[in-house]
Amino acid sequence: MRYRQLGASGVRVSEVGIGAFPLSGYSTDAEGRRVGWSGASDAQAVALIHRAEELGINLVDSAESYGNGHSEAVVGSALRGRRAKWLIATKVTTNLGLEAAMPNLAEAARRRIRSAAEGSLRRLACDYIDVYQLHALPLSGAESAVMEELMALKRRGLIRLIGVSNNEVAAIRRLAALSDVDVLQVGYNLVERQGADTLDYARGAGMGTLIRVPLAKGMLSGKYFTNWELPADDVRHERFSRADTAAAFRRLPELAFLARGRTMPQAALRFTLDHAGTSCVIAGAKTVAQIEENAAAADVAPLTAAELRRALPLVDGLTVPNWAGN
């Protein structure tokens, strides 16, 4: 495994991390429906994290919303007795229970951040979070309160670094004017490259980056190139079932030339790692074999100029779900 600096924080992070949304498995949504990730189990998740540690991976990214907190609980269980070897990143559902017209919006927003952090710490079974990220931009009128509360958590030692999961540079600039913003989580992959400007901004501002959806929720893994049907309760089912997504899947096998000397997932991860603004790619995985394949992306050859000249026009003609959106 290779390591990079996480912005100006002084923290060294493995080039490949773990995106822990798939580790949440299934949960029940607000309407009582079963929804989540097919093919995941808690036992596999724990084995995956332990194997990742052996491979030199040192960051796992979760969120309080993943499986209604189950992802965080699984991560906490897996890291029991191993906490010092890991960087834990997680995210707060910034505006949960809040409305812009609330008369006490600022104080309610502070309570939301504070209580969410306390809940994540309980589920993660640890006493600090390395990277605590806003999972959405704060409501207008709550930005100052939210950022002040994050700084208060940082001063108390409950979080080490403040992060924002968003691609919108103008919004990030506003938040960074109010408090520290140490890390950005940016959506960016071979078929959705809109986040490139955000990565450039982060690099110039000395912010570390965690790259979400580098495999486009599995679209770039090669696993679904010939059959992209998913169970109806898989969180990706609706977007995978769209006509334009199906049309994209029919073209994606044309990228197979990128898998010469590397696998298709490794080619996709390598593309994202090759951006100068990237600190760490947080690729989803559900099995030990998948995390082993992902980890090896740090050592495969970069995509050549000739490969990019062939691949980029192909993917630019595709319409894919907005996995990398804000």
Side-chain angles (χ1 to χ4, degrees), residues 9 11 22 57-58 67 105 115 125 188 195 216 231 235 244 249 275 288 306:
S9 68
V11 173
I57 290 173
N58 73 348
L105 177 59
S115 65
Y188 179 71
V235 70
D244 52 5
F249 270 123
H275 193 290
V288 166

Side-chain angles (χ1 to χ4, degrees), residues 105-119:
L105 177 59
E107 182 53 36
R110 289 189 183 92
R111 287 198 303 269
R112 165 88 280 262
I113 300 299
R114 188 163 55 248
S115 65
E118 291 167 353

Side-chain angles (χ1 to χ4, degrees), residues 5-12 160-161:
Q5 294 295 320
L6 191 57
S9 68
V11 173
R12 280 170 51 81
R160 293 177 65 192
L161 303 173

Side-chain angles (χ1 to χ4, degrees), residues 228-273:
W228 50 91
E229 291 186 20
L230 291 171
D233 53 7
D234 190 290
V235 70
R236 299 164 293 171
H237 176 266
E238 187 275 329
R239 296 196 210 184
F240 267 40
S241 300
R242 295 176 187 173
D244 52 5
T245 308
F249 270 123
R250 293 188 185 98
R251 294 290 309 279
L252 284 173
E254 296 177 40
L255 292 173
F257 69 91
L258 295 176
R260 295 169 189 157
R262 20 170 142 81
T263 67
M264 192 62 221
Q266 290 165 357
L269 296 178
R270 188 70 251 174
F271 170 82
T272 303
L273 283 168

Side-chain angles (χ1 to χ4, degrees), residues 113-159:
I113 300 299
R114 188 163 55 248
S115 65
E118 291 167 353
S120 289
L121 287 166
R122 284 194 301 273
R123 288 184 293 274
L124 291 164
C126 62
D127 54 10
Y128 68 95
I129 295 165
D130 294 283
V131 186
Y132 197 50
Q133 305 155 98
L134 299 180
H135 214 166
L137 297 175
L139 293 171
S140 178
E143 289 182 340
S144 293
V146 165
M147 302 312 289
E148 287 169 5
E149 189 59 38
L150 289 174
M151 285 296 291
L153 292 172
K154 191 174 184 179
R155 287 192 295 270
R156 293 170 59 193
L158 298 181
I159 64 177

Side-chain angles (χ1 to χ4, degrees), residues 31-317:
E31 298 178 4
R33 297 172 301 188
R34 182 175 182 258
V35 64
W37 287 80
S38 56
S41 75
D42 290 358
Q44 284 180 323
V46 171
L48 179 160
I49 291 171
H50 291 175
R51 178 58 177 147
E53 182 182 299
E54 294 173 347
L55 295 167
I57 290 173
N58 73 348
L59 182 136
V60 58
D61 175 79
S62 189
E64 64 169 346
S65 64
Y66 293 170
N68 296 327
H70 187 64
S71 172
E72 289 181 326
V74 170
V75 169
S77 176
L79 297 188
R80 190 170 292 118
R82 303 166 182 262
R83 176 66 179 93
K85 299 178 180 180
W86 282 85
L87 302 172
I88 296 178
T90 195
K91 298 179 285 296
V92 50
T93 307
T94 315
N95 302 313
L96 183 65
L98 305 181
E99 296 180 8
M102 293 174 68
N104 60 339
L105 177 59
E107 182 53 36
R110 289 189 183 92
R111 287 198 303 269
R112 165 88 280 262
I113 300 299
R114 188 163 55 248
S115 65
E118 291 167 353
S120 289
L121 287 166
R122 284 194 301 273
R123 288 184 293 274
L124 291 164
C126 62
D127 54 10
Y128 68 95
I129 295 165
D130 294 283
V131 186
Y132 197 50
Q133 305 155 98
L134 299 180
H135 214 166
L137 297 175
L139 293 171
S140 178
E143 289 182 340
S144 293
V146 165
M147 302 312 289
E148 287 169 5
E149 189 59 38
L150 289 174
M151 285 296 291
L153 292 172
K154 191 174 184 179
R155 287 192 295 270
R156 293 170 59 193
L158 298 181
I159 64 177
R160 293 177 65 192
L161 303 173
I162 295 171
V164 178
S165 180
N166 196 269
N167 283 18
E168 189 179 334
V169 172
I172 295 163
R173 288 183 189 275
R174 288 199 309 273
L175 299 179
L178 297 170
S179 82
D180 297 346
V181 175
D182 306 294
V183 177
L184 297 184
Q185 186 165 141
V186 180
Y188 179 71
N189 59 61
L190 180 60
V191 293
E192 297 177 300
R193 303 194 304 282
Q194 306 93 317
D197 289 345
T198 314
L199 291 175
D200 290 337
Y201 164 76
R203 186 184 183 208
M207 297 175 182
T209 59
L210 307 179
I211 311 304
R212 67 177 183 272
V213 295
L215 298 177
K217 297 286 189 183
M219 287 190 71
L220 289 169
S221 69
K223 179 179 179 180
Y224 304 106
F225 278 7
T226 57
N227 180 9
W228 50 91
E229 291 186 20
L230 291 171
D233 53 7
D234 190 290
V235 70
R236 299 164 293 171
H237 176 266
E238 187 275 329
R239 296 196 210 184
F240 267 40
S241 300
R242 295 176 187 173
D244 52 5
T245 308
F249 270 123
R250 293 188 185 98
R251 294 290 309 279
L252 284 173
E254 296 177 40
L255 292 173
F257 69 91
L258 295 176
R260 295 169 189 157
R262 20 170 142 81
T263 67
M264 192 62 221
Q266 290 165 357
L269 296 178
R270 188 70 251 174
F271 170 82
T272 303
L273 283 168
D274 288 343
H275 193 290
T278 295
S279 303
C280 172
V281 295
I282 46 174
K286 292 182 284 190
T287 67
V288 166
Q290 288 173 348
I291 201 63
E292 290 174 340
E293 185 174 16
N294 290 351
D299 294 316
V300 302
L303 275 62
T304 66
E307 288 174 323
L308 290 172
R309 284 195 298 270
R310 185 175 171 187
L312 296 184
L314 191 161
V315 298
D316 284 344

